[in-house]
Each structure stands twice: as structure tokens, then as C-alpha cells.
Amino acid sequence: GDSVPGTMCDEVFPAWKYTKGKLRSPQNTLIYKRAAGSDIRCQYKFTPDKRLFARVVIEVTNISFKVDPYSPASCTKCHEERVDKLMLWEEKDKMQQRLACFCDNIPRPIRVISSGENMNLELMIQGQHAVSSYFKNPNTLFEASYEFAHGPICGPINLGPSNKGELI
């Protein structure tokens, strides 16, 4: 992706430059030290060329967060709790539509398909234990692959009900 100026780790993946590929958590672990107690947010934004693609497909293949021994929060309600997490969401009518949230390791790859042409992936790390857990940690916190899919020549994105017809 392309780095977003003025941010520590945000990236944009425009479809006209990168139609598919792999991504992972930042390799430079200094961002966990530089945060100095504040939460770390890395946002990965996938923007398609509407003439070519109507969907974004992201497959999360690996997650390896460390458990904070001093935190009472557990991963039961990922979106609401203050835990390290990886969230996928899309924006609809200027509202954030949640698609998935991961705060535990996953047993197998999980594929998420957007319902529209844009999707965002956001890594959130709690600042109070970022340095002790992730600074100089050689492992990636997450790994994923992405691709832009469903060209407009494939037909409409949504098929409404019909009282008669033929589907081939």
C-alpha cells in the first residue's frame, strides 16, 4: 500500500495500483515504543476503481496478539472491549458498518467480503502494554491477503426478487 503522510502506520490500497496482495502489521516495532502509553491505530483503507471493481475480499490468515496479564478485559465482545484487536468495517451513509472483529488467535483463515466497494481494516493496540508486548517482537501481529473483485460487467451487485425468470 501507499503510506498516508502524517500518520505512524496508515496505508491506502488503491485498486488501480494494487489489485491484490498481502499485508501485515507494521514491521517497524518502534511505533509501539513511540506511542508512549497512547493507543496505537493503524488503518488500512481499500479504495477501488468503481469502473472495474465493486467488492473487496480480505482473508485474515494469522493473528497473534499477546495477552495483557494486567488487564481484566477478555475477548468476549471484541468491538466494545479495550483489548488488542483487528477490525474490518465499511462506511455506509457516513456510518461505520462493522463486518468482523478479531481479538483472539484464529484457528484457520477467515474471508470477509464487503457489501460495497470500500472496506477498511484497522489494527488497534492498547497503549499501556504496547512496549512490553510488541517492541522488538519479531512476530507479526496479523497477516492477511486482499483482492478487489466483482467487475461491473458481471451484472448487478444485488439481485432483487422476481416472480418469474431464469438464472443461469
Side-chain angles (χ1 to χ4, degrees):
D2 295 333
S3 298
V4 176
T7 66
M8 267 196 295
C9 51
D10 293 0
E11 291 184 48
V12 176
F13 295 83
W16 53 92
K17 287 174 82 175
Y18 315 102
T19 56
K20 63 181 173 178
K22 296 184 182 286
L23 68 145
R24 59 191 237 167
S25 58
Q27 291 180 287
N28 185 352
T29 63
L30 280 173
I31 68 164
Y32 306 117
K33 189 174 184 179
R34 220 180 328 162
S38 61
D39 292 349
I40 298 153
R41 290 177 174 247
C42 298
Q43 192 174 98
Y44 305 86
K45 188 174 184 88
F46 300 88
T47 55
D49 181 341
K50 292 180 185 182
R51 297 167 298 173
L52 301 174
F53 304 106
R55 294 279 192 267
V56 181
V57 180
I58 295 180
E59 185 170 70
V60 179
T61 54
N62 184 31
I63 294 179
S64 56
F65 293 128
K66 292 189 176 181
V67 177
D68 180 9
Y70 304 108
S71 174
S74 62
C75 185
T76 54
K77 294 181 181 174
C78 184
H79 282 100
E80 290 86 26
E81 293 172 341
R82 286 193 44 80
V83 292
D84 298 341
K85 57 186 146 188
L86 184 70
M87 296 189 308
L88 285 111
W89 55 275
E90 57 190 350
E91 194 171 310
K92 285 195 170 180
D93 303 322
K94 298 187 180 187
M95 297 289 292
Q96 196 179 87
Q97 182 86 20
R98 298 174 178 169
L99 299 175
C101 186
F102 306 100
C103 49
D104 278 335
N105 299 343
I106 55 175
R108 63 183 172 1
I110 296 174
R111 180 177 283 196
V112 179
I113 302 170
S114 68
S115 62
E117 66 260 1
N118 293 309
M119 188 159 24
N120 297 290
L121 185 143
E122 189 169 8
L123 172 67
M124 295 177 62
I125 302 297
Q126 302 305 310
Q128 69 266 17
H129 75 99
V131 173
S132 62
S133 294
Y134 304 120
F135 179 60
K136 292 190 178 180
N137 178 17
N139 302 325
T140 58
L141 304 187
F142 79 91
E143 293 175 1
S145 61
Y146 71 92
E147 70 177 297
F148 291 95
H150 194 289
I153 59 172
C154 292
I157 296 169
N158 296 321
L159 294 174
S162 176
N163 56 4
K164 62 182 180 181
E166 200 173 308
L167 181 63
I168 299 174

